[in-house]
Amino acid sequence: MTTKLAALSTTRRRFLKGTGAALVASATGGLCLPALAQPQDITIISNLSNVEQRQILQRLATEFEAKSGGKIVINNMDHEAHKTAIRSYLVVGAPDICFWFSGNR
C-alpha cells in the first residue's frame, strides 16, 4: 500500500481549518462554563490630549456603565506625565486598560 505524499502535506489552509475545528469542538464540547457576570470597577489610564477623543471615551464608558452595572474610572493625564507614571502604574497597581503608543519604551 503506497501513500501519496501530497495527501500528507500540511498547508496553511489545512492547518487553519484544523485549528478552527478544534476550537469549535472544545468550545461546544462542555469545556466552556457559563460566565457569571458581576459588575466591577474598570480602571483606564490614558494620555488622550484631544478633547473629542476624551469625550468619545467618556461616552463609551457611560454607555458601558449603564448596560453592565459596573463603574469605569478614567485617569487621563498629559503625555509626559503618562510616560513617567506608566512604570509605577504597572508595578504598583496595574490598570485594566492602558493607552500606550508603540516604539517608545
Side-chain angles (χ1 to χ4, degrees), residues 60-80:
L60 290 171
T62 304
E63 290 176 10
F64 183 82
E65 286 175 345
K67 291 185 180 186
S68 70
K71 173 111 175 92
I72 296 182
V73 177
I74 301 173
N75 296 328
N76 194 51
M77 58 189 74
D78 68 85
H79 183 75
E80 290 302 317

Side-chain angles (χ1 to χ4, degrees), residues 50-65:
N50 188 326
V51 175
E52 290 85 14
Q53 290 175 330
R54 286 196 310 257
Q55 289 173 345
I56 290 170
L57 180 60
Q58 186 59 52
R59 187 182 75 215
L60 290 171
T62 304
E63 290 176 10
F64 183 82
E65 286 175 345

Side-chain angles (χ1 to χ4, degrees), residues 16-32:
L16 291 175
K17 282 182 181 180
T19 304
L23 288 173
V24 169
S26 67
T28 59
L31 296 177
C32 295

